[in-house]
Amino acid sequence: MTAIKHALQRDIFTPNDERLLSIVNVCKAGKKKKNCFLCATVTTERPVQVKVVKVKKSDKGDFYKRQTAWELRELAVVDAKDANKENPEFDLHFEKVYKWVASSTAEKNSFISYIWKLNQRYLRKKIDFVNVSSQLLEESVPSGENQSVAGGDEETLDDYQELNTREEQDIEIMMEGCEYAISNAEAFAEKLSSELQVLDGANIQSIMASEKQVNTLMQLLDEALNEVDTIEGKLSSYEEMLQSVKEQMDQISQSNHLIQLSNTNNVRLLDEIEFLVNHMDLSKGHIKALQDGDLSSSKGIEACTDAAEALLQCMNIALRPGHDKLHAVKQQQHLFNDLREQFARRLTNHLNNVFVHQGHDQSATLAQHSVELSLPKHNPLHRDLLRYAKLMEWLKNTQCEKYEGLTGNYVDYIARLYEREIKDFFEVAKIKMTGTTKEGKKFGLHGSSGKLTGSTSSLNKLPIQGGGSRRSQSSSLLDMGNMSASDLDVADRTKFDKIFEQVLSELEPLCLAEQDFISKFFKLQQQPSMLGSTAVDGEEVDGAVPSRHVSVGGERPQSATSEKEMVRLMMNKIFHCIEVELNNLIALGDKIDSFNSLYMLVKMSHHVWTAENVDPASYLSTTLGNVLVTVKRNFDKCISNQIKQMEEVKISKKSKVGILPFVTGIEQFAELAETIFRNAERRGDLDKAYVKLIRAVYFNVEKVANESQKTPRDVVMMENFHHIFSTLSRLKISCLETERKEAKYKYTDHLQSYVIYSLGQPLEKLNHFFEGVEARVAQGVREEEVSYQLAFNKQELRKVIKEYPGKEVKKGLDNLYKKVDKHLCEEENLLQVVWHSMQDEFIRQYKHFVGLIGRCYPGSGITMDFTIQDILEYFSSIAQSH
């Protein structure tokens, strides 16, 4: 093993400046026996690094190679497996556990012993040794001889110091003075030893010669000690004096501390008194204002407001611990409570009187508005009450019950006032819609018409022809188709539109002003209110939002609600009659003329859109939205009624049909609707109605055409769809583009059908002859051989052609023109269009006959008795003669 150790040191560790301390021959536990060596090494340079190196013998030669190296500080545990029995196995715990089997137990123990010594020396006992006998570790402790043997190398390494330059020069000079310093080292050592003894003797003699000086030195030292004793005595006396001074200074310090503590307490007491005086002292002026202040004048209201705010600050002050136990503080708090109760009672009574007084004053102005379509303005009342807004906020923060009661009283008083005003206002609107004529009596209304103000409608009159009596019942497309007194109808509808717009224009600022006043006066804009519980009456009808009625101030609220919700509930209570009156007005307008629903839909949609832009959750937005549902329902009902009336239309069996009244009606309806909905927000409702109406018109036109006895079906379809196509092309309604194309197709298709049906076979025998010719060709007879057929030879062809001279052809066409003229109506003016189409069809048949003659009877010289130019002259002269 020594030889191996020497070889490893020489070949592996010396080149790396390392020294091998211990070695053990091992193999991995449980595997095939492949021996290797674990070596414990230290570096020769500082700082010293201790490693465990795994060395393996090369398979290709007799030399060793370094395989793995671990820093000793990475070693956590050394497990010897068994401390009592000899066992060559042991484990080393680095980043993972390595299991080894040593070649002998002695080698294992020697290696573990070195690891323990290196741990003690360099790692300060960081490694845990498990299952290692204490005897082995005790033997490893470096002491005496063992230290020199076991730890000699390390200590030698630690004690060794390299010679400096001067020491090297001295040794070289000393060796140069002796000739045999290198050749005879022992003689040189003896010489150096003898010289050292001579120097030691000289040193002893020198010491003995200096004894007298030593005695003198000792005497001086004794004198110095005596002087020190004297100084120490003086210092002790000084210390006693200082101790007395210290005691006196301590007494002075204690007195100063007590004085400082007393001053501190006085300052704190003064601070507490100033705090209470500054924050809980209410001036006599404020107290007088709260007790007797004038709540009717602006100056008195301002003084009361300042006093109330000062009182609130005094009552809301956050007292420091212990203040509430002071008798003066309790008295002051009791005074504040009395002042608060007294002033809240005065304020509540005064405002209730203001509500009643203002309500009576406002009622006196109703008479002057009864003949005008306008609502009284409440701005003066709002302006007077807003002076108390800050006091209302104070009441809300201090006396919630009185605040709720005052709120309820205001809502009750103002709701009765608004109800009278709004009902009178709507009564005037109804009278203006119906007038004092017989029609007004028919609708159960009476009164005198007044002056209409604030009209915003710009509806133009529709140029509708006709004359007759005025309508007072629901309009229909049939009425529009046979419209009479059109100027009067347009005037009535324009008047209704203006009145309805005036009603909405008056209601909108009234509601917005009242809602703004409620928010400001009752301070429903800052924090969640403790008011309000909703009592909802009414049922939801056909998807409409139900009407809500709120009881404010009558009962304690059951749950907190947002301030916006509180404002909306108060508005519902105040204006509970608006929605009912609007619905009644809408029902009256619909009863007067069902087409009024178009005007109402546009106006109501605009006002709803405006209100939602201002505040989607406002009372006005919600109420107008509910009414809009009713208007939309009436509009849908109007469209449904028009469709129903179309289906019930009956035509005369003795007269020609012409343009159906509902076809003319849909034209007038579209013109009216396009004028009304020109810039409307709810265009989609009209587009859906258009599609429903036009589909119903198409269906019923076809139904009437099928039932017509006097007029051919194709004529009814052609004329009516031509009229529809012209109307849609002129109005350019984008949502009906598909229907426009369909109308054009139906018109063209039925025009062609009527032309073919009416023209029939003008040259009947000639037509039958050539049908036979075409049948032979279809059976396989060649066209040039047809003339050899007995029934279709040239003689037969000449005979047939002789029967149709130009004079007879012209006579037949003249009779056809008269027949077509009887079928077509004058309104649509399609006679020339149909006659031109017949001309084209006749020429097409003529060319067909000429072509067959040329192919089947080539070189025969047979021709028709008239030419295409003759045909054109026949048609032209017949059209001009009529």
Side-chain angles (χ1 to χ4, degrees):
M1 184 64 71
T2 303
I4 294 174
K5 184 177 180 181
H6 180 71
L8 292 176
Q9 177 66 55
R10 183 188 66 236
D11 298 336
I12 294 178
F13 298 111
T14 298
N16 292 327
D17 295 328
E18 293 177 308
R19 192 144 52 84
L20 177 60
L21 301 180
S22 179
I23 185 173
V24 59
N25 185 8
V26 297
C27 62
K28 288 187 178 180
K31 291 192 175 182
K32 190 175 180 180
K33 301 292 183 178
K34 288 187 177 180
N35 290 344
C36 59
F37 297 97
L38 290 180
C39 305
T41 66
V42 295
T43 57
T44 58
E45 295 182 354
R46 293 182 182 274
V48 177
Q49 296 182 4
V50 186
K51 298 181 181 179
V52 176
V53 183
K54 178 183 175 183
V55 178
K56 185 178 179 183
K57 191 173 183 180
S58 176
D59 297 334
K60 297 182 180 180
D62 191 12
F63 62 90
Y64 298 93
K65 64 179 180 179
R66 187 184 188 119
Q67 191 173 23
T68 309
W70 299 274
E71 294 284 346
L72 188 63
R73 64 172 177 272
E74 297 176 3
L75 180 62
V77 179
V78 176
D79 187 358
K81 295 297 185 181
D82 197 332
N84 300 321
K85 298 180 181 180
E86 292 187 358
N87 186 355
E89 297 182 2
F90 66 98
D91 297 343
L92 299 181
H93 293 241
F94 289 101
E95 75 279 0
K96 64 178 183 178
V97 179
Y98 293 92
K99 298 180 180 293
W100 306 101
V101 179
S103 59
S104 66
T105 304
E107 286 188 16
K108 181 189 83 170
N109 291 339
S110 175
F111 183 75
I112 291 175
S113 175
Y114 258 98
I115 294 295
W116 188 85
K117 286 188 287 185
L118 293 172
N119 175 48
Q120 294 290 103
R121 183 176 184 84
Y122 296 106
L123 301 183
R124 299 180 182 177
K125 306 180 182 179
K126 290 185 179 179
I127 303 175
D128 293 334
F129 288 82
V130 182
N131 297 321
V132 180
S133 66
S134 57
Q135 182 180 0
L136 177 62
L137 297 180
E138 289 174 0
E139 291 175 355
S140 300
V141 175
S143 62
E145 215 173 281
N146 291 334
Q147 180 181 1
S148 63
V149 177
D153 292 337
E154 293 91 322
E155 291 184 358
T156 302
L157 181 63
D158 292 341
D159 295 340
Y160 172 76
Q161 292 183 352
E162 189 175 356
L163 296 177
N164 56 33
T165 305
R166 183 173 180 180
E167 290 173 341
E168 289 181 355
Q169 291 175 355
D170 292 340
I171 291 175
E172 289 178 358
I173 293 171
M174 186 173 58
M175 292 178 69
E176 288 176 358
C178 184
E179 297 178 355
Y180 51 85
I182 297 175
S183 60
N184 191 351
E186 290 181 359
F188 181 64
E190 288 179 0
K191 180 181 177 184
L192 292 176
S193 178
S194 61
E195 290 180 355
L196 182 60
Q197 289 176 0
V198 172
L199 290 174
D200 287 341
N203 287 334
I204 292 172
Q205 290 178 2
S206 176
I207 292 170
M208 291 176 66
S210 60
E211 183 179 358
K212 186 178 180 180
Q213 285 123 356
V214 171
N215 290 333
T216 304
L217 178 62
M218 293 300 292
Q219 186 179 0
L220 292 173
L221 289 174
D222 290 338
E223 293 175 355
L225 289 174
N226 292 332
E227 190 66 26
V228 169
D229 291 338
T230 302
I231 293 173
E232 285 182 353
K234 291 181 179 181
L235 290 175
S236 297
S237 64
Y238 293 156
E239 186 177 358
E240 291 175 358
M241 295 170 64
L242 290 174
Q243 184 65 30
S244 175
V245 173
K246 179 178 177 295
E247 291 175 357
Q248 294 175 4
M249 292 301 296
D250 289 341
Q251 292 178 356
I252 294 172
S253 175
Q254 187 175 2
S255 299
N256 289 336
H257 175 70
L258 293 175
I259 294 171
Q260 186 178 2
L261 182 62
S262 177
N263 289 336
T264 302
N265 290 336
N266 290 333
V267 170
R268 289 184 178 179
L269 178 59
L270 180 62
D271 179 63
E272 296 293 334
I273 294 173
E274 288 179 349
F275 173 80
L276 292 175
V277 171
N278 291 336
H279 294 92
M280 294 195 69
D281 184 28
L282 194 63
S283 68
K284 292 181 179 180
H286 286 162
I287 295 175
K288 185 176 181 181
L290 292 172
Q291 292 175 340
D292 304 315
D294 184 10
L295 288 171
S296 57
S297 65
S298 299
K299 185 177 292 186
I301 293 172
E302 184 178 357
C304 290
T305 302
D306 295 339
E309 290 178 352
L311 175 62
L312 184 61
Q313 290 178 359
C314 290
M315 296 186 70
N316 289 341
I317 188 65
L319 295 177
R320 297 172 184 173
H323 284 177
D324 55 347
K325 297 179 181 180
L326 296 175
H327 180 67
V329 171
K330 291 180 180 178
Q331 283 184 335
Q332 199 74 352
Q333 288 177 334
H334 183 67
L335 173 63
F336 293 159
N337 289 330
D338 290 344
L339 289 173
R340 180 185 64 183
E341 293 292 335
Q342 183 180 357
F343 181 68
R345 187 164 53 250
R346 286 183 59 233
L347 178 63
T348 303
N349 293 335
H350 179 77
L351 287 178
N352 280 327
N353 293 332
V354 171
F355 296 159
V356 175
H357 179 69
Q358 292 286 357
H360 288 315
D361 289 349
Q362 195 75 11
S363 298
T365 64
L366 290 177
Q368 69 185 38
H369 293 275
S370 61
V371 295
E372 296 183 1
L373 192 58
S374 62
L375 283 164
K377 305 303 180 184
H378 289 238
N379 293 337
L381 171 62
H382 293 165
R383 187 168 54 251
D384 290 342
L385 288 177
L386 281 176
R387 298 182 301 166
Y388 301 94
K390 290 185 178 180
L391 291 177
M392 283 298 297
E393 183 180 9
W394 175 86
L395 192 65
K396 179 181 179 182
N397 294 329
T398 58
Q399 295 285 318
C400 189
E401 290 183 1
K402 286 186 173 57
Y403 171 83
E404 291 176 8
L406 199 60
T407 303
N409 290 339
Y410 172 80
V411 170
D412 290 338
Y413 283 124
I414 206 69
R416 289 197 292 269
L417 176 61
Y418 274 123
E419 185 175 8
R420 292 195 301 270
E421 294 176 354
I422 290 171
K423 284 186 176 179
D424 291 345
F425 173 71
F426 275 95
E427 190 68 23
V428 173
K430 293 174 184 176
I431 292 173
K432 286 185 174 292
M433 283 182 182
T434 57
T436 57
T437 61
K438 295 178 181 180
E439 296 174 10
K441 295 179 181 178
K442 178 186 289 186
F443 293 109
L445 298 172
H446 57 84
S448 59
S449 60
K451 181 181 178 182
L452 183 64
T453 61
S455 175
T456 58
S457 176
S458 60
L459 184 65
N460 296 323
K461 290 184 178 181
L462 297 175
I464 305 174
Q465 299 177 354
S469 61
R470 181 180 179 180
R471 293 194 320 270
S472 61
Q473 298 296 331
S474 297
S475 300
S476 68
L477 293 179
L478 300 180
D479 295 334
M480 296 186 78
N482 301 312
M483 189 163 284
S484 58
S486 60
D487 290 342
L488 191 58
D489 289 322
V490 173
D492 289 344
R493 289 174 179 151
T494 304
K495 176 183 176 182
F496 175 83
D497 179 46
K498 291 180 179 180
I499 294 173
F500 192 73
E501 171 64 22
Q502 179 69 12
V503 169
L504 295 179
S505 298
E506 289 289 328
L507 288 175
E508 185 172 333
L510 183 74
C511 293
L512 292 177
E514 184 63 31
Q515 180 168 327
D516 183 61
F517 167 74
I518 288 175
S519 299
K520 292 178 179 178
F521 182 68
F522 292 102
K523 294 299 178 182
L524 296 175
Q525 299 169 320
Q526 299 163 357
Q527 57 189 8
S529 174
M530 296 298 294
L531 304 176
S533 60
T534 308
V536 180
D537 299 329
E539 297 179 355
E540 187 174 344
V541 181
D542 296 337
V545 179
S547 300
R548 298 183 179 180
H549 305 284
V550 60
S551 175
V552 180
E555 299 178 358
R556 289 288 296 175
Q558 296 179 356
S559 60
T561 181
S562 67
E563 295 194 345
K564 279 191 175 182
E565 180 69 9
M566 187 60 204
V567 171
R568 192 178 63 80
L569 295 177
M570 293 176 67
M571 292 290 291
N572 280 337
K573 177 70 175 178
I574 293 171
F575 294 109
H576 65 275
C577 63
I578 284 185
E579 187 171 341
V580 177
E581 292 294 334
L582 272 175
N583 286 331
N584 291 339
L585 187 68
I586 289 167
L588 176 63
D590 191 57
K591 191 174 181 181
I592 293 173
D593 186 348
S594 62
F595 285 154
N596 284 336
S597 60
L598 277 71
Y599 293 94
M600 291 188 287
L601 182 62
V602 172
K603 298 300 181 186
M604 190 60 68
S605 299
H606 174 71
H607 283 273
V608 169
W609 178 79
T610 304
E612 287 181 347
N613 283 342
V614 175
D615 184 3
S618 68
Y619 164 79
L620 182 66
S621 176
T622 304
T623 302
L624 294 183
N626 294 342
V627 176
L628 179 61
V629 173
T630 302
V631 174
K632 176 61 169 61
R633 192 183 302 128
N634 289 346
F635 175 74
D636 294 339
K637 183 180 177 181
C638 172
I639 300 301
S640 300
N641 288 338
Q642 310 314 317
I643 295 174
K644 184 177 180 181
Q645 291 174 10
M646 288 184 207
E647 295 170 352
E648 295 174 354
V649 70
K650 301 294 182 182
I651 61 170
S652 175
K653 296 181 180 180
K654 296 182 179 180
S655 60
K656 59 184 176 182
V657 176
I659 303 302
L660 294 170
F662 55 80
V663 172
T664 308
I666 192 66
E667 177 185 10
Q668 305 297 341
F669 174 82
E671 291 176 347
L672 175 66
E674 286 300 307
T675 303
I676 297 172
F677 281 78
R678 182 170 290 116
N679 297 313
E681 284 81 11
R682 291 183 70 99
R683 176 75 193 192
D685 295 329
L686 179 63
D687 291 344
K688 293 177 183 177
Y690 273 149
V691 174
K692 288 182 181 179
L693 285 173
I694 203 71
R695 283 294 162 196
V697 168
Y698 284 7
F699 175 80
N700 287 287
V701 166
E702 191 162 353
K703 175 185 172 185
V704 171
N706 292 334
E707 296 174 355
S708 173
Q709 297 179 2
K710 185 73 174 178
T711 306
R713 178 180 182 276
D714 287 326
V715 172
V716 176
M717 296 287 284
M718 172 185 66
E719 289 183 326
N720 283 279
F721 278 106
H722 177 267
H723 190 87
I724 294 171
F725 170 70
S726 300
T727 299
L728 295 181
S729 298
R730 175 169 53 84
L731 295 179
K732 297 180 181 179
I733 301 173
S734 59
C735 68
L736 296 179
E737 182 62 25
T738 302
E739 286 72 14
R740 187 187 72 84
K741 293 179 180 178
E742 183 180 352
K744 181 180 179 181
Y745 171 77
K746 287 181 179 291
Y747 153 68
T748 306
D749 183 58
H750 287 286
L751 171 62
Q752 189 66 24
S753 298
Y754 176 66
V755 167
I756 293 174
Y757 169 78
S758 299
L759 194 61
Q761 298 176 347
L763 310 174
E764 186 175 1
K765 292 183 180 180
L766 189 62
N767 195 58
H768 283 311
F769 180 85
F770 281 111
E771 283 180 357
V773 172
E774 289 175 341
R776 291 292 188 277
V777 173
Q779 292 173 1
V781 179
R782 296 172 62 185
E783 289 183 342
E784 58 270 16
E785 296 177 357
V786 171
S787 60
Y788 299 108
Q789 299 285 326
L790 183 62
F792 302 101
N793 57 26
K794 299 176 183 178
Q795 289 294 100
E796 291 295 327
L797 176 61
R798 289 191 180 95
K799 189 186 297 183
V800 173
I801 289 176
K802 279 185 179 181
E803 295 184 13
Y804 293 101
K807 189 176 181 180
E808 289 297 325
V809 171
K810 182 177 181 181
K811 183 179 179 181
L813 290 176
D814 188 64
N815 292 333
L816 177 62
Y817 185 90
K818 295 177 181 178
K819 179 181 176 182
V820 172
D821 188 29
K822 289 181 180 180
H823 288 164
L824 299 178
C825 65
E826 296 179 1
E827 296 93 332
E828 204 58 24
N829 197 22
L830 288 177
L831 179 58
Q832 296 304 320
V833 176
V834 173
W835 187 243
H836 187 269
S837 297
M838 287 183 171
Q839 174 183 293
D840 294 342
E841 178 64 21
F842 192 91
I843 292 174
R844 187 192 66 77
Q845 292 187 14
Y846 176 85
K847 289 181 179 179
H848 179 64
F849 295 154
V850 171
L852 285 175
I853 292 173
R855 293 195 304 273
C856 298
Y857 302 93
S860 63
I862 301 173
T863 58
M864 302 287 284
D865 194 41
F866 51 90
T867 63
I868 292 179
Q869 186 62 35
D870 295 332
I871 295 172
L872 294 174
E873 290 179 0
Y874 296 158
F875 274 91
S876 177
S877 62
I878 290 171
Q880 292 176 1
S881 65
H882 293 280

